[in-house]
Amino acid sequence: ADTPEHALLRAERRRRVWALVDGLPPDQREALLLQHLEDLPHAQIAQVMGRSPAAVNSLLQRARATLAARGADLLPNTETSR
């Protein structure tokens, strides 16, 4: 069973992760959210954003690097790509 302390820690971790994501530049944030919340592959993200797949890949790499630098203790390994 989940204890109140674990629930509180999870909620705090979630708040911190969202704060990190919110601090990304808008284009990086959009690409990251489309990938992780909408579960879109790079090609579809490129269509939605009006960018090339290579540009989307670059945006996602920069977003991950920024998140890792700012919150390495919070984030799982996100080096997988679609």
Side-chain angles (χ1 to χ4, degrees), residues 27-78:
D27 54 348
Q28 291 179 25
R29 183 175 55 245
E30 181 180 9
L32 192 73
L33 293 176
L34 287 169
Q35 182 181 40
H36 290 282
L37 294 183
E38 300 296 327
D39 201 28
L40 296 181
H42 289 185
Q44 262 188 294
I45 296 169
Q47 280 186 316
V48 169
M49 294 184 71
R51 304 280 187 106
S52 70
V56 167
N57 190 50
S58 179
L59 287 170
L60 289 167
Q61 287 178 353
R62 287 195 314 252
R64 288 185 199 111
T66 300
L67 292 174
R70 294 180 184 171
D73 62 317
L74 295 173
L75 302 169
N77 182 358
T78 57

